[in-house]
Amino acid sequence: MVKCCSVLCIALLLLSAVAARHGFGPGRQDWGYSEVRPGAFMFWWLHYAGGGDQGYTDKPLLLWLQGGPGGSSTGFGNFEEIGPLDRSLNHRPHAWVNDYNVLFVDSPVGSGFSYVEDRSQLATNSTTVVQDLMRLLKDFYAQSVTYADWERHVPLYIASQSYGGRIAVELADALVQAVRSGDMHCQLHALFLGNAWLSPIDSISAWPDYLHWLGYVGAEGAARIEQRVAAVREQQQQQQLEPAEQEQQSAKAIDSWHSLQQAIIRETHGINCYNVLKPTGRQSLPATTDDGSDELLEYGETVWWWNVEESASTTRQRLEQLMRGPVAHALGIADKPQPWGAQRNAVFEALATDFLRPTATAVLGRLLNETQLELVLYNGHLDLITCLPGTLRWIRRLLGEPLLREPFPRDSQGDIQGYRSVYGNSRFTLYTVLRAGHMVPVDNPTAMAYILRVHT
């Protein structure tokens, strides 16, 4: 135990030693804050492609938006999924920064290193979240620290996960309008929507049958879950029908949502909602506070699985300790009024009445009909949160049946990583990713690398 801790401390010191030029970890980096509204500060962290030695402006810029609301791009997205180092500070072979400039943004304000001076300044709807991101992007493009005309000459792609997918769709719509008006000049090419939370009711309505068919619940358990789903659906309908009582109806909808979460855990005895084939955990929602354990990967809507294996480990660096300690000090932001992740639960609470609303699919349809953007949706087939049957339900309603469905990759020398379906005007592609759950970049990095390569 002492030896392991010593090795980790030495690794942290070595990484911090190069912080003056490279931030934290390998390669060239830049970072900063944007005051997107008075008293609301959003943090960005840019990792240059290939370490940033040369030629990075010839590579696309990928903006990564985490799920939640309340998850941290700089923490979870970077160290848990696509960044150059994992949480134990080992090099990640499939890191996106090997081939792309990756801009991690802690959004909404209050997530990760982003913070608000007063909690009344937290965003309460996706419109405000998008407006904040637009302000940040304008500031980012104007920063001389980036040493290049990123806005006019570097192709931009928006990549996202879960609730971040909803924000990605609405942000793309806002960017398109800003470019048309001449307010911005960015070169937005495509969206990568990972297990996107675009039509919440479709997703949760599919849960009873999905769990039943996989054998996690029996017929009676599925019926009890269906009752909870029906309650959420009814409260959502009431919320739309009675706007004068929106606050009261929204509170009821969230209460129904939490009851549904509890029912899922109770009936399945603690299913892993991120990947149904991974070990199950506790049978009830653990108590969480603003200083609660990050071991839960607190994405707000998915705080319902306790990773027993990881929480029992004494050698694995806790993400919260890493971000608040060595990372914050290396980036020179340890003196900020809010430590990393301190406001994450408050972020979800502020947006709780908004995140169940099915607004994103309508915007998605507009992007398909009125722009030339390429829309790429990838969905792990082992995910419960945005389970594949629910995703297919809203896609079928929006676009009908696919024009083409085939395995990928088609290389005869490799295993099939999944199935590619092309819809409508051929600018919407769904990748059903095998051996993957909610976090496709982690569960099947080979499939993820293929998807990125084909569409960038």
Side-chain angles (χ1 to χ4, degrees), residues 134 138 141 151 156 171-188:
M134 290 289 288
K138 290 178 180 179
Y141 282 134
E151 184 173 8
L156 173 64
L171 174 61
D173 188 49
L175 283 171
V176 167
Q177 295 178 40
V179 170
R180 286 174 177 169
S181 68
D183 191 38
M184 293 187 72
H185 305 280
C186 65
Q187 307 298 311
L188 180 61

Side-chain angles (χ1 to χ4, degrees), residues 64 96 160 192-195 376-380 431 433 440 448 451:
W64 176 265
W96 290 19
S160 59
F192 292 100
L193 306 170
N195 291 71
V376 181
L377 176 67
Y378 55 90
N379 211 112
Y431 287 91
V433 183
V440 171
M448 190 72 251
I451 294 168

Side-chain angles (χ1 to χ4, degrees), residues 398-421:
L398 183 67
L399 299 170
E401 297 300 325
L403 304 174
L404 168 72
R405 188 176 190 272
E406 61 183 5
F408 79 91
R410 290 183 292 180
D411 184 354
S412 60
Q413 299 182 12
D415 294 331
I416 292 175
Q417 303 300 326
Y419 299 89
R420 169 179 172 266
S421 301

Side-chain angles (χ1 to χ4, degrees), residues 264-344:
I264 294 286
I265 292 175
R266 183 171 58 251
E267 297 292 345
T268 63
H269 299 277
I271 192 171
N272 181 336
C273 64
Y274 297 117
N275 187 318
V276 296
L277 291 190
K278 290 187 176 179
T280 56
R282 291 156 58 124
Q283 296 184 27
S284 61
L285 285 172
T288 59
T289 66
D290 281 353
D291 294 319
S293 171
D294 67 277
E295 303 292 341
L296 289 167
L297 285 181
E298 297 187 19
Y299 287 156
E301 77 270 25
T302 60
V303 182
W304 37 336
W305 172 62
W306 179 267
N307 190 330
V308 177
E309 181 179 355
E310 286 190 9
S311 64
S313 172
T314 57
T315 61
R316 187 170 170 85
Q317 173 79 2
R318 280 190 60 197
L319 184 59
E320 186 175 275
Q321 294 173 340
L322 178 66
M323 299 302 292
R324 294 184 178 186
V327 173
H329 283 88
L331 300 182
I333 56 176
D335 61 342
K336 295 300 179 182
Q338 295 290 338
W340 178 88
Q343 297 178 327
R344 60 192 171 207

Side-chain angles (χ1 to χ4, degrees), residues 15 24 39 61 71 78 84 107 111 124 129 149 151 194 196 213 284 361 384 407 414 417 419 425 429 448 456:
L15 289 167
F24 186 91
L61 173 65
N78 189 355
S107 171
S111 306
T124 58
V129 177
D149 189 351
E151 184 173 8
W213 294 336
S284 61
T361 52
L384 173 62
Q417 303 300 326
Y419 299 89
N425 55 16
T429 306
M448 190 72 251
T456 56

